[in-house]
Amino acid sequence: MFKRDVHDIKELILKNLRVQGLETPLLQKRLIDSWPEVVGNIVANYTESLYIKNQTLYVHLTNPALRADMSMMRAELVRKLNAHVGSQVIADIKFN
């Protein structure tokens, strides 16, 4: 009898994404999509745009007071967003 090399489908998909170079963009998309859930609907309503460049999340907020408050919570937001995705995707957040 032969021994089968059985793998979990999740492992195979993640390995395939990694080989094709799609794992990082997928994680970045998941992180950006999780922004409203992590910060709440009120902050999300004042968020105009989000993008990631060089492990930094750039957030454009339309309310200057909210921008100042969120700047003081940068480290906590980085931790929560990375935890929500389950991987170290960003290292910093810049608000403008």
Side-chain angles (χ1 to χ4, degrees):
M1 193 137 197
F2 62 93
K3 185 177 179 181
R4 292 184 186 204
D5 191 19
V6 179
H7 295 283
D8 185 31
I9 189 75
K10 180 180 177 182
E11 290 176 21
L12 294 173
I13 291 172
L14 289 175
K15 182 179 178 183
N16 190 26
L17 287 172
R18 201 171 298 121
V19 167
Q20 293 182 12
L22 298 173
E23 182 180 32
T24 300
L26 179 63
L27 289 172
Q28 289 175 347
K29 173 74 170 125
R30 286 178 53 202
L31 186 132
I32 288 173
D33 289 346
S34 70
W35 176 257
E37 188 176 334
V38 172
V39 299
N41 288 331
I42 294 172
V43 175
N45 288 337
Y46 287 106
T47 303
E48 197 167 274
S49 66
L50 296 165
Y51 66 93
I52 298 173
K53 183 177 179 182
N54 297 330
Q55 288 192 326
T56 302
L57 175 64
Y58 291 89
V59 181
H60 180 71
L61 295 173
T62 57
N63 186 322
L66 182 60
R67 188 180 317 129
D69 288 344
M70 298 298 283
S71 292
M72 290 186 269
M73 297 174 26
R74 280 189 0 231
E76 183 181 348
L77 287 171
V78 167
R79 184 186 56 74
K80 284 183 177 181
L81 287 165
N82 284 329
H84 194 270
V85 175
S87 181
Q88 179 69 30
V89 178
I90 61 171
D92 195 14
I93 300 177
K94 302 279 184 190
F95 295 98
N96 53 16

